[in-house]
Structure formats: C-alpha cells, structure tokens
Amino acid sequence: MKATVTVMLRPGVLDPQGRAIAQALHALGFTGVAEVRAGKVIELDLDEADPTRARAQAEEMARRLLANTVIESFRVEIG
Amino acid sequence: MKATVTVMLRPGVLDPQGRAIAQALHALGFTGVAEVRAGKVIELDLDEADPTRARAQAEEMARRLLANTVIESFRVEIG
Amino acid sequence: MNAAIMLFPGINRERDMAIALTRSFGRPPRMIWHREADLTGIDVVVIPGGFSYGDYLRCGAMAAHSPCMAAIRAHAVRGGYILGVCNGFQILTEAGLLPGALLRNANLRFIARDCCLRVERGDTVFTSHYQRGQVFRAPMAHGDGNYFADPATLDRLEGEGLVAFRYAPPVGNPNGSARDIAGILSPNLRVLGLMPHPEDLVDPLLGGEDGKPLFDSLAAA
Amino acid sequence: MTARTVDAALAREFGLAAGEYARVLAILGRTPTLAELGIFSVMWSEHCSYKSSRLWLRQLPTTAPWVIHGPGENAGVVDIGDGLAAVFKMESHNHPSFIEPYQGAATGVGGIMRDVFTMGARPIANLNALRFGDPAHPRTRHIVDGVVRGIGGYGNCVGVATVGGEVDFHPAYNGNPLVNAMTVGVARRDRIFLSAAAGVGNPVVYVGSKTGRDGIHGATMASAAFAGDSEAKRPTVQVGDPFTEKLLIEACLELMATDAIVAIQDMGAAGLTSSSVEMAGKGGVGIALDLDAVPQREAGMTAYEMMLSESQERMLMVLRPEREALARAIFAKWELDFSVIGRLTDSGRIVVRHRGRIEADIPLAPLADQAPLYRRPTAPPAPPPPLHRLPDPAGLAPALLRLLACPDLCARTWIWDQYDATVGGQTVKRPGAADAAVVRIEGHARALALTTDCTPRYCAADAAQGAAQAVAEAWRNLTAVGATPLALTDNLNFGNPERPEVMGQLVAAVTGMAAACRALDFPVVSGNVSLYNETDGRSVLPTPAIGGLGVMEDAAQAVGIALPAGHDLVLLGAATGHLGQSLWLREVAGQAAGWPPQVDLPAERRVGDFVRARIRAGGVAACHDVSDGGLLVAVAEMVLAGDVGAALLPGPDGLTPHGFWFGEEQARYVLAVGDGAALVAAALAAGVPARRLGTTGGGDLTLPDGATISLMTLRQAHERFLPDWLEQGREFQAQG
Ligand SMILES: Nc1ncnc2c1ncn2[C@@H]1O[C@H](COP(=O)(O)OP(=O)(O)O)[C@@H](O)[C@H]1O
Ligand SMILES: [Mg+2]
C-alpha cells in the first residue's frame, strides 16, 4: 500500500521559501498567484494491505519523525 | 482556486533523502516500509476560477520554475 | 569536568570542537560513536556541528530520533551538562531537550561568515568567563539557523532568563531568528544550544580567541 | 539499450571514430558486444585517453626532489616536511554544470575529493576556479546561482573547508561555463595508497553507494561539443550525495589505517570500467568481474549500463584476502555497501560476467597501449588587434571606481559567504584575506598555501604568454603570503581540438606553461584536460587554470593583504605602463587590444624570492601581488581588506598616470612595511626595482592627483554587483 505524507509549515510560521517562490513567479509574469506555501511530500511503500492500518502506521511515522509538530502539520493519503 | 504542485525526482534519479528517511524509519522500528521517495509540494492560491485554466497555469509554472525538469517530474492537482 | 563529543554519522565539526575543548580542559575529550553511547563518568556531553544524516528530511531530525538519544536524555535527567552547537542545537530542539525549532535562514542561503553575539547572562556554567552584555565574534556556518518558537515560548524564555546569546550589531541578525536569539538554555541552565561556532575562534592565529571563554567557563565549572 | 546491433554506426554514436572502431575490431578479432563497445568508447574518449593532448603534455616538467608522485596517479603527491605529504588535483565538471548547475558543480566537488582521499589523504581544503558567461546573458544568473549553491552544498556538508578560487565572466562562456574544482589533502608520506592492483586471486571489492543508471556516457559527453540541443543529453545528470561521501571518507581512512588495502581507486568518469581497467592495467594483472554482485539501485540493469554508470560516491579496492572480514566490518559500521565483485587473475584480460554470460572479454594491454593518440593539425593563434596610444578618457578616481565595481573585479563576498571556510578549525587565511588561502595542518605549526589562477583574456590574446602568466601568478600568490611554492595542478579548458586554431592554442599554452614551470621550479604533479568546450561552434577562451600549492614551516608567518595604519607602501617590480589586454583598457577605454603583459621569468623569480625572504625575516605587515586591474586596484583591495586608508605619491616621470596605476605588468608586489626607504634600498641592492608608493592611515584613499575617495565609497562600488544582480534581480548594465 502506498501512503503519501504531506508536511507543511503551520500557519503562523513564516515560510520564506513560499514567499520567494511567489516573488519569482510574479517576476516571470504569473501575476495571478496570491499566496504560495512550500512543503515536503514523502511517499512511503508500506508492507500493509489494509488501508486503515496503513494510515495509522503512516500517521505514527509522521508524528514520530517525518514532521516536527512544533512547526509543521501533516496530512496522510492512502492508495 | 487552489493548485497543488507535487514535485518528485524522476524515477532512476538517486534520492539520497528518501533512502536516509527509509533507514531512519527502520531504525525506529517501522520495518514494514520498503521504498521511500522524498519530494516537494507547492500550494498555490490562483486568481482563477476555471479549473482547466488553473491547471494549465499551474503546469506552466511547474515547467518554468517549480520543477527542475532535468531531474524532477511533477503533477498538478486542482481544488 | 569530563567532556565527551558525540559522533553521529555526518557530523563534521568534531575535530574543531575537540581542539577547543582540549585547549581549555588541558586534555582531549572522549569521542563517543553514537552506537556506543555509554556516558558514565561524563559531565558534559557535546553535540558538535555538521550535517548528521546529511541534514536530510530536517536538520537534526534523524539524529534526534536515533537510539543513543536515550542515553543523552538520561544524562540530562541526571542533571548532566549538554552543549549543542549548530547541528547539535538542531538535534537538541528536535529531541525536545530545548524548545523551538531552527528554520531555513530567512534569505534561503547557507551563511558562512562571522557574526557578533551578545552574552545575555554571564552566570551560567557555559558563560562565566564572559561578562553579561559583552559582544564577541563567532563564525557561523549554517543553512538552517533561523530560530523559531511560538510567542508564548519566546516570552517564557525571556522571562526566565533562558536566552544565552543574541545576534548583535554591527553584523546583526543574519538569519531571521526570532528576537535575535542565537542560543538558549534549558530551565535548569544545564543544556545550552547555539548556532554559531565559538570552537572555531579559540586561537589568535585563526583570527582571535573570542570563543575561548565558553570552553574556559566549562573547564572551570 | 535493448538489443542494438553493434556496428560502425553505433560505434560512431558512442563517439568512436571509424579508424578507432577498426582498431577495436582488430584487437578483439570479432565484433564487440555492446558492453565491450561501451568500454572501448569510454576508455578511448578524449576525457579518459587524452588522445589529443597526451603528446603535448609530455613537455611539462613533473619532477623535483619534493615530488613523491607526479601525473599518472589519482592525484599529485608532494613532500611538505614533518613526514607529511600534500595530495592534490583539479578537475573539471563543465558540461554537467551547464546542464544542471547545482548537481553538476556538486558532483564535481565530490569527484575531485575522491581522487584525493583514495590516495590516503584526508581532504583539508577545496578551491574552485569558475568562468561564467556574460552577466547580461539571460542564463548566466541561473548558472552562477546553481554552481555556487552546488559547490557549497557539497563541500559544506562533507565538512571540507572551501578556502579559495576565482571567478571570471566573459561572453565566450555563455553556453559553456567552466567549473574546475580542486581538492587538497594531507597524508603521512609513508602511507600513500596507489591504484596498481597486485596479487592474483585477491578480492576486488566495491564500496560506497549503489549503482544506478546515472551519468551513463558522461565521459563521452565531456568529450563532445555542445549543440543547442544539449537538453536532449539530460538523462545523464548525476545527483550527488555528500552525506555518503562523508561516510566514505571516514570509512576509507579508517581502513587505510590498517594493512588491508593492496590498491584503491575511486570510480570517477566511466565508473567501474575505468577504475577496473586502470587498476588491473597498471598492475599488469587480469581482472574478472561478476556484475551480479554489484550493489544495484535499480532493477534490470544490463552489463553495459553497470560498466558505464557514473553513479557517485563509489570506490574500488583490492584487498588482502585475510583482511576481507575486517574491511567488511568497517564498512558495515559506516553503513556503506561492501561487496566482493571479482578477483584478480593472471590472464591479462578484463572478463565481465553477468547473469551467467560473459559480457566482455578484452585484453588489457592493447586497450591501453593502442589507445588513440593524435597529433592534430594546429594553426597559429591569430594575433590580437594592435593597441594604439590612448589618452585617459576618465581620470584615476572614476576609473578606479568603475574597475572595482566590474564583474571581474568586484568583491566575491556573496560567493564565499556561502562556503564554509572555517570547518576543520585550521584556516589561517580565509578567502579575501590574502593572495593565497593558508590552511594549517592539524597538530603542526606548518601550513599549506593554496591558490588557483588564470587570466583567460591574456590567453586568448597570446596563449603561450597567458599560460606562462597563469603559472607565474599562482607562484606569485603563494609567495605573497610567505610560502615556498612547491608544485601545481592544472585544468586545461579549451574548445574543440579538431579545430586547428584551438589545437594551436593548446599547444602554445602547454609550451608557455612548461617554460614557466621550469624557470620557477614549480612542477606539474596532476591535472586534467577538458576539451570540446564550445557551443554552436563558439569556443570558450583558452583557459589553462592553475592550482598552486606552497608550504610554510610556521603558519604564524603568513601575511595577508589587509593594510595596517601607519605603514609605508612600497612597490616591488618594474613599472612600464603596459595597458595591452588590461582590465582598464576593457572596462574604461572599451577595447580588448594589444599583447598581454610579457612574463619575464628571471625577474619573476628574483622579485618573488626577495619578497619571500623579507616576509620570512619579519617586518612585512601586508603584501599583495599586482594583477588584474593593476597597481591602483591592488592598493584599493589592500585598503578595503584592512579598512584603513592610504595616501599615494605620484608615479614616475615618463609614464602616464593611467599607465602607471592601471598597467598590468607582471612580477610585482605591493608591500606595507614600517620603513619604506629601507626596503627600497634593500630591494635595489638585490637588483629588484622598487618605489615608495605612499603611506597608510585615515579613512580615505587619497590619489596622487589630489582626488579623495572615502572607504565607504570604495566599499560600495566594490561590493554592490553580485548581491544586486543575484539577490535583487537587478539586470546587469554594461557601463561605458
Ligand atoms: N593537464 C595535465 N597535466 C598534468 N597531468 C595531467 C593533466 N591532465 C591529466 N593529467 C594526469 O593524467 C592522469 C589521468 O587524469 P584523469 O583521467 O583526469 O584522472 P581521473 O582518472 O582521476 O579522472 C592523472 O594522473 C592526471 O593528474
Ligand atoms: Mg581518479
């Protein structure tokens, strides 16, 4: 089962990378972009056929290692 | 309209980060993880109500800036 | 005081740190490979700078979750001293031994230059050979040194006098750190984390001895 | 690469000329397999075989009593005293850095470090010699940004201080930047590891990262000119993993402290092929490889792919069989792959097995001995346009400010500030502090002085003089910190050798280098040739980059360029007002004309030896050689480094002020000393031209014509360009 963990900076944490991307997009003429947020995505190949258990595992991994919950939040997608 | 651009290393391109994450997860006792790939995600707030046009814009941004197509591929989700 | 340097894979300033400790302590520190984390007889555990596990995922994250962290945590619980510099600071925050987190530098670049640090308290085991308010120079070399904590945590740090060093003029705050914070202490004042590298300025030939008082302080404790 | 028929057409696609393919057929007596064709094509590529340059490189002096290993090993090795040796080399990653600047530069740094630690040396310093296109060209900014990040990204992570280098901009590099990386390591002189395999039956061991399909045919790519379609060559881009490199350094050095290693070689260009062929070939033995044992990152790789892969961070070793378990344990500790992939044989052949089939079986001797060697036609380089007598269109102060601000002279702070120059705790002179970086050797008083130099515009005008100048400038930069120059490494970057005028430049450059090396006792101990640096038929400027290494017994004697207050400034060396090919001529008068300054090798030596002796004797507070931009720029750089002003005296009668202050004559130094008159007298007595220039102090630079420039004005002019251009996104405006 494949699990995708997406990790984003929490709202309130300054995201200089997102801001830099927004500026660069504007400079390229993409003026219709408002906010940009940059984050990480981690794709996991899990040895687990049950989606519920796979999700629980991936969430546990995210909590323990993949995200730093002081600054980041995460979401998990399965399949 | 919100667009999410996910950028991953192309298949076959060395992903040292993914490999290191896999090893760290194993060390933490998550032995059921096979491959791990690490990538980036960029969330864009687009000033565009039409999903087709929003997708086209986001794809153009990915090609021109967000992804380094020499080594990375990308996918776009809308909404 | 007996000092030990923790060696995680990818750490690269362990030699600099050993030189600085040897100068002040008069004998070399013990070097401890992360898989052999026996800390008996050690008073101060030093986690040096570098790129543990390549800084992949997040700086310090993987080292902070490695098995030997249990021994370091136990050392802290025992009231032992811990010094984390640069990657070591990142590891300590990732491990929850110090609050907050180190984000990417605000300019999104690696910054390697000298900065100026103001000593916020001169009455700790790490800073007794400095004067409070003294400004000294230290090389910095990091891509992720932008200190972040939520406002309540920042207020608590300041209120309890746990800010050890702040970036100061003329160089100022190079990386965007909240409230110019360059180094912080644990509530019992026994754990110090800081981003710049005092260990790289302990020799007049290399540009000065501005960093030496930190190690002299430890040696005298 | 499934089931392509091997024939002359495929051979041509692989970069083998018709005659070369015919020779392959003759050696094998049959049609090669795909893997064999791959092996021949990379071994006989320009990059690996030096087929266009080998004949000429023989002119270079490579020996001296202090040279332990000259060219022919992974890196050069020189005796630096105290039982120690310095191991160093420079290598190019030009084409990869154009395709993917970050990864191209990063893997260039990784590759050259492996050449150094494979010989048993701990890398202690990196340098980088960079040439970029016109700042006004739309792609240049992206390339500069990526290359600088890549060099820092790799070197900072591995924890080897990046202490020096050089940067030039010129439109000739628009489609082909040059990224030359140099690494210097230190080893015990009796613990140098070589690559010649020995001991039939001994295990051949693969360590490091797994093999993927990265960079297949990278060596061939580095041996072909670019066309506008170079994007199509992209799949060969390799990704660097500095974390693994760091582990590999530590694991190799740990193993090297034992007696386990018989021979060791990094897997660089042409990966497993060149490392196995060279190790067995040098040792005069055969080698049998079993590719099933190669650690693989991807499924279904063919023998061809594995033999040609340029995956990074891999090494090949021959071990004593009884030490295999010990070695395996060390690599397990560092969590690196370790696999016995073959044995040495007495067959004199390389035999490659994969999935039960013999995929290659080639006699090693003819693969090396019959490698192509060309004496390509040469045409003498065209002389530069003549320089006519010029009035000064600007005056000293405006010209100085313009020069200090121009891309080729502006402050490189924006670049160094991204390189960790202090890691290791031994950097005595950081970038910008002195003419050469000075790095002490841990636990010793001794230090190495390191520099890279080349002035491509001189080489374009006169390749022989330009190349001699590059050698002389490297020697001078080492001298200026007080070091004894010992040896150099080079990176000869040229265009397409099949063009007679390019070949003419190469031959002239090697001749000029050889003369300078001989006159200065400064042998060549390692190097690299990078040809086919052209895009759409336009060659880069001939760029023979020189990496110089010197030693000083006491690091405390190292002198920098920063002026102290209250000193006299003295010029040593002759002033003739030579403006041909000067930066003043280009930036202020808008011309590139005339011959470059001539290199007077006996004068170079006489002045340099005098300067070094004065520094050793103490009493020299600052020293800076006079190079790009001339005397006034040299003084201004000293003023800025010291944050101390200076007041200058008029130049000699008979020279125009702009000729005196902006001429680029060679063999010159500016010294700050307590007693200028005494120094001038001593110099003249030693046959060294000398002249008092002025005094130091205050907060301004006061010129002999009375103009006064504040340090702040100077600094702003000097420091603005790179940050404005790269951070603020400001477009480059050519001045004048
Ligand atoms: N321009 C040169 N001057 C002197 N020696 C050179 C030059 N170019 C290459 N060499 C030497 O030839 C040998 C092979 O070089 P190279 O193929 O670049 O090494 P590697 O196999 O490590 O990539 C090395 O010993 C190198 O030092
Ligand atoms: Mg090599």
Side-chain angles (χ1 to χ4, degrees), chain D residues 74 89 91 115 118 265-266 268 278:
Chain D
N74 282 307
K89 184 167 185 238
E91 199 153 82
D115 272 329
T118 197
Q265 162 90 23
D266 62 296
E278 280 172 23

Side-chain angles (χ1 to χ4, degrees), chain D residues 413-628:
Chain D
T413 321
W414 180 88
I415 296 175
W416 316 321
D417 277 0
Q418 300 181 57
Y419 298 155
D420 188 345
T422 54
V423 60
Q426 303 298 333
T427 309
V428 177
K429 296 290 179 201
R430 300 187 204 175
D435 279 333
V438 177
V439 182
R440 192 175 54 185
I441 295 162
E442 193 181 322
H444 297 256
R446 203 164 277 273
L448 296 180
L450 310 167
T451 180
T452 74
D453 293 284
C454 182
T455 310
R457 65 179 189 281
Y458 294 172
C459 300
D462 181 338
Q465 282 297 316
Q469 190 277 339
V471 173
E473 186 173 341
W475 188 87
R476 201 184 307 144
N477 282 334
L478 300 174
T479 296
V481 298
T484 306
L486 291 181
L488 64 85
T489 181
D490 67 68
N491 208 139
L492 306 180
N493 306 274
F494 288 82
N496 180 346
E498 295 160 41
R499 293 175 193 279
E501 66 282 10
V502 170
M503 219 34 229
Q505 291 171 335
L506 176 64
V507 171
V510 172
T511 309
M513 271 177 69
C517 292
R518 233 174 253 119
L520 300 172
D521 263 333
F522 199 29
V524 178
V525 296
S526 61
N528 175 244
V529 178
S530 172
L531 302 179
Y532 296 96
N533 289 293
E534 69 167 24
T535 304
D536 295 332
R538 278 190 304 277
S539 290
V540 299
L541 302 185
T543 310
I546 303 298
L549 177 138
V551 69
M552 44 203 319
E553 278 172 25
D554 183 359
Q557 289 188 326
V559 168
I561 68 170
L563 285 187
H567 280 63
D568 285 346
L569 281 176
V570 173
L571 168 67
L572 297 179
T576 61
H578 184 98
L579 288 170
Q581 298 300 334
S582 67
L583 280 181
W584 180 88
L585 191 67
R586 191 182 82 191
E587 298 292 323
V588 180
Q591 294 186 39
W595 294 101
Q598 299 296 295
V599 181
D600 176 345
L601 292 165
E604 192 72 57
R605 180 139 197 173
R606 193 164 52 246
V607 181
D609 289 349
F610 178 79
V611 168
R612 192 178 317 106
R614 299 301 291 197
I615 293 175
R616 296 276 170 85
V620 177
C623 179
H624 190 12
D625 81 314
V626 180
S627 56
D628 272 344

Side-chain angles (χ1 to χ4, degrees), chain C residues 7-16 18-19 23 33-36 49-56 104 107-114 137-142 197 199-203 205-207, chain D residues 122 145 148-149 152-153 155-160 240-244 246-247 250 332-335 414 416-430 440 442 445 554-557 726-727:
Chain C
L7 303 175
F8 292 98
I11 283 294
N12 64 28
R13 259 185 168 80
E14 74 281 5
R15 306 153 71 81
D16 315 39
I19 291 167
R23 257 178 192 252
W33 180 240
H34 72 117
R35 289 193 191 284
E36 293 140 23
F51 287 67
S52 58
Y53 299 92
D55 273 0
Y56 297 139
R104 289 283 296 280
N107 71 352
L108 299 173
R109 290 190 188 275
F110 192 94
I111 305 176
R113 53 172 301 180
D114 285 0
R137 219 154 41 86
M140 56 185 278
H142 59 247
H197 293 284
E199 74 276 19
D200 275 340
L201 213 52
V202 295
D203 183 345
L205 190 54
L206 304 194
Chain D
R122 176 176 287 282
D145 183 63
V148 170
R149 281 183 196 272
N156 297 343
C157 180
V158 170
V160 174
D241 179 2
F243 172 56
T244 297
K246 169 69 174 166
L247 302 185
E250 300 303 336
K333 168 185 164 188
W334 292 98
E335 298 181 31
W414 180 88
W416 316 321
D417 277 0
Q418 300 181 57
Y419 298 155
D420 188 345
T422 54
V423 60
Q426 303 298 333
T427 309
V428 177
K429 296 290 179 201
R430 300 187 204 175
R440 192 175 54 185
E442 193 181 322
D554 183 359
Q557 289 188 326
L726 287 145
E727 300 290 351

Side-chain angles (χ1 to χ4, degrees), chain D residues 50 59 113 178 233 270 376 379 417 434 440 465 502 551 673:
Chain D
Y50 293 87
Q59 292 180 47
M113 281 198 276
L178 303 182
K233 296 190 172 152
R376 298 196 187 274
D417 277 0
R440 192 175 54 185
Q465 282 297 316
V502 170
V551 69
V673 293

